């Protein structure tokens, strides 16, 4: 299913098709990527970045401390708007996480070689985003120290979780997703950790990378087992990508709340997750490739492909909005119709139209190859999509809840300082983890990039082993 | 890499031409019997006719979507079945003619056309701006115009590409396909809302369009696999259909089977869980008596069994075995459509009427006759498809 072969052949490919820069050899690939980690001089920019991230992390710690001290009353939510920023942010972060697994697992099974330079980085992003996401439902419990009550375990209280509730599915889905993503990421890291172990100049590096490399010696048997394990994990991760956001959508859709109870939610949430996840990968990879001189590894072709995925998934999301609005009207149900009206023309119109602008109208610029090749424009669009996808969740969660069936219960949600600080704080957590990751682990898979070097055909075949398992 | 420009055409003795003649005989006979049904039980005639129409319509429209995906994404799998897809969408004018009985039968088919029923029903009155006969017909014309325009341009450009290779032609088809897929998504969604969902005018489901699109994609892939094995009776064609091509097509059938199951399950879970009267009634009818049996059989025979079978690498790589799976899936597509369409007329009995069979055979026979006719007109492989070199590579 190679996309390029034919088009390159006839010279009608729209972007330089290289997924690795010219002149790279086995040696330069390994040097270039590992030196980011093994260099003695940490760039100043990294310290500044980490400093900002740590400050935001401190905001997060402060917000959580306040929450634990005073309870969820410090947030702006109240009945009937029982879910607000916490769930909006949970869904937003989980969505962002999806791109990592999609790039790593699904593109691997589809034999798309361009995934290779961005997968490591995207998987790390997945883990960090899931960590941020997972914190929100815990904080929203109000008494997070009782979170283990969510698990079905024999207890003296005679309590058992409700297995019909997708909120319980969520507990399993997100924790499974986080563990499998971690295993997948770590398995992929092992050969590179061994490279770092071998190249490290000091005792600590050798010891720590040595322990983490789990005794990897690069023997043929190691490689064979590695390939099998990696493929199995890819196969396991693939249904998880779909299941997590499907279940997140069930959280809303199985209820009878107008604007939530829609059968299109599962596919439309999954598409939205991929949309926002790719936007986040683009947002992060453009500055990183520039700053660390990795243009030869994360090429214009990668960015072009990611922009196309964003365009396609964005159109599916647009289809979802269209169907929601149309069916809301077509249902003939007063409440459904009112919800459509309230979003499009009513009190929530500014948020709704901002979301349409960010998620549908502006991304249409990605139809043009000039826009996709213009990194500044692409970067801005990816940011706009990130904002748009946040607004989407805000509109879904808050508008539906604040317009209860009984007008006497209508409630206007206003976020408080602590709502915002918690949200911004998780960005601090995410960025802190990301900066640390860039510094201590190879952000691009060294050995997989080496399979792309001209003359690496033999290894390529090994890498293409998915054929065997499918 | 050498450009493959093998001009593979069908010889006069090719088995598919015999199939074509038989299809025409079956088609004419089926339509004649169905026409008798019109005088015996007009209501049943229109229901059965709609069911048969939706079945073959699904294969043609699914082919259109797959063809456009191929123009955008490329791939050897698409290069070998491209002509079949193009022949399939070449039947859109025929489908437009075959749609006429549905357009004439709105009063028999759709409850919302009955003024007396609507007068007593507030919900139907609320929907009248959309569900009324003139607008219904205008929309139908619009859908067919869009499909015909997209299909005929793609077919014409494809034949131009056969004669002369022009890189700009590849780009042109890709651009057309991008816009075409957007149009396909919108038109097919509203078409199935009009023609199928509004059979039960109180019911609604936002995923219904996607669900039927998944079914169309599955039907079209299965149809192409089945036709491929017939075409492969000749060595000149067979050499293009190697294990790798069947493997890819099998994986697509697997993927679409999963998407269909995923969307069906989500729809069921969400509606069951919400348990709202206007939505759940639709499933209530379909979970009584014989409909329940068919519903369960869909889970096992439309999903579980094909899923397990299509995971087998050996089956996917063997054309003859994969063709059996494809025929099975084509049959299950009919069962699924029957389960979607028929309960709205006779909710209590799941036994099919004889017209259900004559209509689908009649429409299908005529449709297949045109399909093979289109296929035989041109080389069986799109000669200059940019992905064709990958087939032999």
């Amino acid at each position: 299913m190679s996309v390029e072969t034919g088009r390159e052949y006839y010279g009608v490919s729209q972007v330089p098709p290289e997924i690795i820069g010219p002149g790279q050899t086995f040696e330069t690939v390994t040097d270039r990527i590992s030196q980011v980690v093994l260099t003695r001089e940490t760039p100043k920019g990294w310290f500044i970045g980490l400093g900002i991230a740590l400050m935001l992390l401190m905001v997060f710690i402060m917000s959580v401390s306040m929450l634990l001290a005073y309870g969820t009353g410090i947030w702006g939510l109240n009945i009937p708007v029982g879910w607000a920023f916490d769930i909006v942010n949970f869904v937003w972060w989980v969505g962002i996480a999806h791109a990592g697994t999609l790039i790593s697992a699904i593109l691997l099974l589809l034999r798309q070689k361009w995934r290779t330079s961005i997968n490591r980085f995207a998987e790390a992003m997945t883990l960090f985003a899931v960590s941020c996401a997972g914190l929100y439902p815990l904080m929203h419990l109000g008494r997070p120290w009782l979170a283990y009550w969510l698990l079905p375990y024999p207890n003296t209280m005679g309590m058992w979780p409700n297995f019909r509730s997708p909120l319980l599915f969520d507990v399993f889905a997100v924790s499974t997703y986080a563990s499998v993503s971690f295993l997948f990421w770590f398995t992929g890291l092992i050969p590179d950790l061994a490279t770092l172990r071998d190249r490290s100049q000091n005792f600590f590096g050798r010891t720590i990378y040595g322990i983490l490399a789990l005794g990897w010696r690069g023997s043929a048997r190691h490689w064979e087992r590695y390939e099998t394990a990696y493929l199995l994990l890819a196969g396991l991760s693939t249904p998880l990508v779909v299941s997590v956001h499907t279940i997140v959508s069930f959280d809303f859709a199985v209820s009878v709340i107008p604007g939530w109870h829609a059968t299109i939610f599962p596919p439309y949430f999954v598409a939205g997750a991929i949309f926002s996840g790719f936007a986040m990968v683009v947002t992060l990879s453009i500055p990183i490739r520039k700053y660390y001189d990795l243009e030869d590894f994360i090429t214009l072709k990668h960015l072009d492909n990611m922009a196309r995925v964003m365009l396609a998934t964005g159109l599916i999301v647009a289809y979802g909005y269209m169907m929601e609005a149309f069916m809301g009207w077509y249902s003939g149900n007063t409440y459904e119709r009112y919800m459509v009206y309230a979003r499009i023309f009513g009190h929530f119109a500014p948020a709704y139209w901002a979301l349409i602008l960010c998620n549908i109208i502006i991304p249409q610029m990605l139809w043009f190859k000039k826009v996709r090749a213009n990194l500044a424009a692409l970067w801005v669009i990816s940011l706009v999509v990130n904002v748009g996808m946040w607004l989407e969740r805000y509109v879904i969660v808050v508008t539906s809840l604040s317009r209860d069936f009984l007008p006497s219960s209508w409630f206007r949600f206003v976020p408080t300082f602590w709502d915002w600080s918690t949200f911004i704080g998780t960005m601090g957590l995410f960025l802190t983890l990301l900066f640390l990751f860039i510094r201590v682990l190879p952000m691009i898979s060294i050995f997989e990039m080496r399979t792309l070097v001209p003359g690496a055909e033999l290894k390529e075949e090994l890498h293409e082993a998915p054929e065997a398992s499918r | 890499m050498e450009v493959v420009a093998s001009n593979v055409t069908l010889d006069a003795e090719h088995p598919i031409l015999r199939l074509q003649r038989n299809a025409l005989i079956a088609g004419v006979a089926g339509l004649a019997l169905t026409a008798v049904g019109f005088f015996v039980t007009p209501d049943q005639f229109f229901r059965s006719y709609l069911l048969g129409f939706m079945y073959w319509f699904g294969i043609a429209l699914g082919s259109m979507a797959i063809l456009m995906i191929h123009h955008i994404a490329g791939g050897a799998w698409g290069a070998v079945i491209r002509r079949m897809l193009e022949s399939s969408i070449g039947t859109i004018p025929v489908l437009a003619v075959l749609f006429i009985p549905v357009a004439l039968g709105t009063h028999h088919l759709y409850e919302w056309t009955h003024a007396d029923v609507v007068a007593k029903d507030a919900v139907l009155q609320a929907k009248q701006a959309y569900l009324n006969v003139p607008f219904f017909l205008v929309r139908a014309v619009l859908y067919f115009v869009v499909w015909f325009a997209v299909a005929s341009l793609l077919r014409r450009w494809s034949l131009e590409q056969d004669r002369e290779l022009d890189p700009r032609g590849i780009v042109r088809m890709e651009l057309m396909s991008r816009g075409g897929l957007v149009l396909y998504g919108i038109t097919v969604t509203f078409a199935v809302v009009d023609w199928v969902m509004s059979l039960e005018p109180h019911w609604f489901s936002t995923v219904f369009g996607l669900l039927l699109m998944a079914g169309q994609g599955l039907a079209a892939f299965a149809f192409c696999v089945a036709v491929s094995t017939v075409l492969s009776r000749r060595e000149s064609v067979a050499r293009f259909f190697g294990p790798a091509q069947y493997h890819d097509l099998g994986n697509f059938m697997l993927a679409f089977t999963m998407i269909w199951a995923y969307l069906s399950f989500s729809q069921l879970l969400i509606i069951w869980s919400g348990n709202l009267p206007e939505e759940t009634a639709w499933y209530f009818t379909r979970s009584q008596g014989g409909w329940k049996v068919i519903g369960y059989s869909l889970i096992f025979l439309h999903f579980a069994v094909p899923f397990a079978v299509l995971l087998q690498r050996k089956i996917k790589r063997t054309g003859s075995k994969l063709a059996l799976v494809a025929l099975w899936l084509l049959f299950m597509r009919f069962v699924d459509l029957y389960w979607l369409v028929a309960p709205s007329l006779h909710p209590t009995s799941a036994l099919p009427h004889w017209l259900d069979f004559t209509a689908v055979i009649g429409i299908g026979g005529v449709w297949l006759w045109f399909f093979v006719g289109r296929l035989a007109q041109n080389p069986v492989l799109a000669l200059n498809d940019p992905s064709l070199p990958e087939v032999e590579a």
Side-chain angles (χ1 to χ4, degrees), chain B residues 25 53-54 56 60 94 101 116 139 205 218 233 245 268 273-274 299 319 338 340 343 369 376:
Chain B
I25 296 167
F53 174 81
M54 287 309 296
W56 296 100
V94 182
D116 54 324
R139 285 196 304 269
S205 168
L218 179 60
R233 299 274 176 83
Q245 273 66 55
L268 170 65
S273 201
I299 299 175
Y338 180 68
L340 291 178
W369 189 77

Short mmCIF file of all heavy atoms in Angstrom, two decimals, chain B residues 25 53-54 56 60 94 101 116 139 205 218 233 245 268 273-274 299 319 338 340 343 369 376:
data_model
loop_
_atom_site.label_atom_id
_atom_site.label_comp_id
_atom_site.label_asym_id
_atom_site.label_seq_id
_atom_site.Cartn_x
_atom_site.Cartn_y
_atom_site.Cartn_z
N ILE B 25 -31.07 -12.96 -18.61
CA ILE B 25 -32.25 -13.84 -18.59
C ILE B 25 -32.89 -13.80 -17.20
O ILE B 25 -34.10 -13.56 -17.05
CB ILE B 25 -31.86 -15.29 -18.97
CG1 ILE B 25 -31.34 -15.31 -20.41
CG2 ILE B 25 -33.05 -16.22 -18.80
CD1 ILE B 25 -30.63 -16.59 -20.79
N PHE B 53 -33.39 -2.64 -4.88
CA PHE B 53 -32.71 -1.46 -5.41
C PHE B 53 -31.56 -1.04 -4.49
O PHE B 53 -30.44 -0.80 -4.94
CB PHE B 53 -33.70 -0.31 -5.59
CG PHE B 53 -33.03 0.97 -6.00
CD1 PHE B 53 -32.68 1.19 -7.32
CD2 PHE B 53 -32.69 1.93 -5.05
CE1 PHE B 53 -32.03 2.36 -7.69
CE2 PHE B 53 -32.03 3.09 -5.42
CZ PHE B 53 -31.70 3.30 -6.75
N MET B 54 -31.85 -0.97 -3.19
CA MET B 54 -30.82 -0.53 -2.25
C MET B 54 -29.60 -1.45 -2.28
O MET B 54 -28.47 -1.01 -2.08
CB MET B 54 -31.37 -0.47 -0.82
CG MET B 54 -32.33 0.66 -0.53
SD MET B 54 -31.74 2.29 -0.99
CE MET B 54 -30.34 2.50 0.08
N TRP B 56 -28.27 -3.27 -4.88
CA TRP B 56 -27.35 -3.05 -6.01
C TRP B 56 -26.83 -1.63 -6.05
O TRP B 56 -25.69 -1.37 -6.43
CB TRP B 56 -28.04 -3.44 -7.32
CG TRP B 56 -28.35 -4.90 -7.31
CD1 TRP B 56 -29.54 -5.49 -7.02
CD2 TRP B 56 -27.40 -5.98 -7.49
NE1 TRP B 56 -29.40 -6.86 -7.03
CE2 TRP B 56 -28.10 -7.18 -7.32
CE3 TRP B 56 -26.04 -6.03 -7.79
CZ2 TRP B 56 -27.49 -8.43 -7.43
CZ3 TRP B 56 -25.43 -7.27 -7.90
CH2 TRP B 56 -26.16 -8.45 -7.72
N ALA B 60 -22.81 -0.20 -6.31
CA ALA B 60 -22.34 0.83 -7.24
C ALA B 60 -21.74 2.02 -6.49
O ALA B 60 -20.66 2.51 -6.83
CB ALA B 60 -23.49 1.28 -8.13
N VAL B 94 -28.28 3.63 -15.22
CA VAL B 94 -29.22 2.51 -15.13
C VAL B 94 -29.93 2.54 -13.77
O VAL B 94 -31.15 2.36 -13.68
CB VAL B 94 -28.46 1.17 -15.29
CG1 VAL B 94 -29.44 0.01 -15.25
CG2 VAL B 94 -27.65 1.17 -16.56
N PRO B 101 -39.47 3.45 -10.18
CA PRO B 101 -40.56 2.86 -9.40
C PRO B 101 -40.58 3.32 -7.95
O PRO B 101 -41.66 3.53 -7.38
CB PRO B 101 -40.29 1.36 -9.49
CG PRO B 101 -39.53 1.19 -10.75
CD PRO B 101 -38.70 2.42 -10.90
N ASP B 116 -53.36 12.35 6.09
CA ASP B 116 -54.19 12.10 7.27
C ASP B 116 -53.36 11.67 8.48
O ASP B 116 -53.64 12.05 9.60
CB ASP B 116 -55.27 11.04 6.96
CG ASP B 116 -54.65 9.77 6.39
OD1 ASP B 116 -53.66 9.88 5.65
OD2 ASP B 116 -55.14 8.66 6.71
N ARG B 139 -34.47 16.14 -4.23
CA ARG B 139 -33.22 15.63 -3.65
C ARG B 139 -32.71 14.42 -4.42
O ARG B 139 -31.53 14.32 -4.74
CB ARG B 139 -33.42 15.26 -2.18
CG ARG B 139 -33.52 16.43 -1.24
CD ARG B 139 -33.33 16.01 0.21
NE ARG B 139 -34.26 14.99 0.65
CZ ARG B 139 -35.44 15.21 1.20
NH1 ARG B 139 -35.86 16.45 1.39
NH2 ARG B 139 -36.22 14.21 1.58
N SER B 205 -31.16 8.27 13.65
CA SER B 205 -29.87 7.86 14.19
C SER B 205 -28.80 8.58 13.39
O SER B 205 -28.75 8.47 12.17
CB SER B 205 -29.71 6.35 14.06
OG SER B 205 -28.38 6.00 14.33
N LEU B 218 -18.09 -2.51 2.01
CA LEU B 218 -17.90 -3.95 2.15
C LEU B 218 -18.45 -4.69 0.94
O LEU B 218 -17.79 -5.56 0.37
CB LEU B 218 -18.59 -4.43 3.44
CG LEU B 218 -18.52 -5.92 3.73
CD1 LEU B 218 -17.07 -6.35 3.87
CD2 LEU B 218 -19.29 -6.25 5.00
N ARG B 233 -10.19 -16.53 -14.74
CA ARG B 233 -10.22 -17.80 -15.48
C ARG B 233 -9.28 -17.76 -16.68
O ARG B 233 -8.95 -18.79 -17.24
CB ARG B 233 -11.65 -18.09 -15.99
CG ARG B 233 -12.68 -18.21 -14.91
CD ARG B 233 -12.73 -19.63 -14.37
NE ARG B 233 -13.65 -19.72 -13.26
CZ ARG B 233 -14.98 -19.88 -13.42
NH1 ARG B 233 -15.48 -19.98 -14.62
NH2 ARG B 233 -15.76 -19.92 -12.37
N GLN B 245 -2.38 -9.31 -4.08
CA GLN B 245 -3.57 -8.48 -4.35
C GLN B 245 -4.77 -9.00 -3.57
O GLN B 245 -5.51 -8.22 -2.97
CB GLN B 245 -3.88 -8.47 -5.86
CG GLN B 245 -3.13 -7.41 -6.62
CD GLN B 245 -1.63 -7.66 -6.62
OE1 GLN B 245 -1.18 -8.72 -7.02
NE2 GLN B 245 -0.87 -6.69 -6.15
N LEU B 268 -26.44 0.34 18.49
CA LEU B 268 -27.30 -0.47 19.36
C LEU B 268 -27.09 -0.09 20.83
O LEU B 268 -28.05 0.14 21.57
CB LEU B 268 -27.00 -1.96 19.15
CG LEU B 268 -27.65 -2.91 20.15
CD1 LEU B 268 -29.16 -2.87 19.99
CD2 LEU B 268 -27.15 -4.33 19.94
N SER B 273 -29.19 1.89 25.62
CA SER B 273 -28.88 2.48 26.90
C SER B 273 -29.75 3.71 27.17
O SER B 273 -30.20 3.92 28.28
CB SER B 273 -27.40 2.84 26.91
OG SER B 273 -26.95 2.97 28.20
N GLY B 274 -29.96 4.51 26.12
CA GLY B 274 -30.80 5.70 26.29
C GLY B 274 -32.25 5.31 26.50
O GLY B 274 -32.97 5.94 27.26
N ILE B 299 -25.05 -10.82 13.93
CA ILE B 299 -23.87 -10.70 14.79
C ILE B 299 -22.88 -11.82 14.47
O ILE B 299 -21.68 -11.59 14.34
CB ILE B 299 -24.27 -10.78 16.28
CG1 ILE B 299 -25.21 -9.62 16.62
CG2 ILE B 299 -23.03 -10.76 17.18
CD1 ILE B 299 -25.76 -9.69 18.03
N GLY B 319 -7.30 -16.86 -4.06
CA GLY B 319 -8.44 -16.21 -4.70
C GLY B 319 -9.72 -17.01 -4.57
O GLY B 319 -10.78 -16.48 -4.22
N TYR B 338 -32.23 -6.44 4.46
CA TYR B 338 -33.57 -6.97 4.72
C TYR B 338 -34.00 -6.63 6.14
O TYR B 338 -35.12 -6.20 6.39
CB TYR B 338 -33.54 -8.49 4.49
CG TYR B 338 -34.87 -9.17 4.71
CD1 TYR B 338 -35.94 -8.94 3.85
CD2 TYR B 338 -35.06 -10.05 5.77
CE1 TYR B 338 -37.16 -9.55 4.05
CE2 TYR B 338 -36.27 -10.67 5.98
CZ TYR B 338 -37.33 -10.42 5.12
OH TYR B 338 -38.53 -11.02 5.32
N LEU B 340 -32.94 -4.19 7.89
CA LEU B 340 -33.13 -2.75 8.05
C LEU B 340 -34.45 -2.30 7.43
O LEU B 340 -35.14 -1.44 7.97
CB LEU B 340 -31.99 -1.98 7.36
CG LEU B 340 -30.59 -2.06 7.97
CD1 LEU B 340 -29.61 -1.28 7.12
CD2 LEU B 340 -30.59 -1.49 9.37
N PRO B 343 -38.72 -4.88 8.24
CA PRO B 343 -39.58 -4.84 9.43
C PRO B 343 -40.51 -3.64 9.46
O PRO B 343 -41.51 -3.67 10.16
CB PRO B 343 -38.58 -4.77 10.59
CG PRO B 343 -37.33 -5.33 10.06
CD PRO B 343 -37.29 -4.94 8.62
N TRP B 369 -25.92 -7.21 -16.12
CA TRP B 369 -25.79 -7.21 -17.58
C TRP B 369 -25.11 -5.92 -18.04
O TRP B 369 -24.17 -5.94 -18.83
CB TRP B 369 -27.18 -7.35 -18.21
CG TRP B 369 -27.11 -7.56 -19.69
CD1 TRP B 369 -26.79 -8.71 -20.34
CD2 TRP B 369 -27.34 -6.58 -20.70
NE1 TRP B 369 -26.82 -8.52 -21.69
CE2 TRP B 369 -27.15 -7.21 -21.95
CE3 TRP B 369 -27.69 -5.23 -20.68
CZ2 TRP B 369 -27.31 -6.55 -23.16
CZ3 TRP B 369 -27.85 -4.57 -21.89
CH2 TRP B 369 -27.66 -5.23 -23.11
N ALA B 376 -16.62 -5.12 -20.47
CA ALA B 376 -16.09 -5.74 -21.68
C ALA B 376 -15.71 -4.71 -22.73
O ALA B 376 -14.96 -5.01 -23.67
CB ALA B 376 -17.13 -6.71 -22.24
#
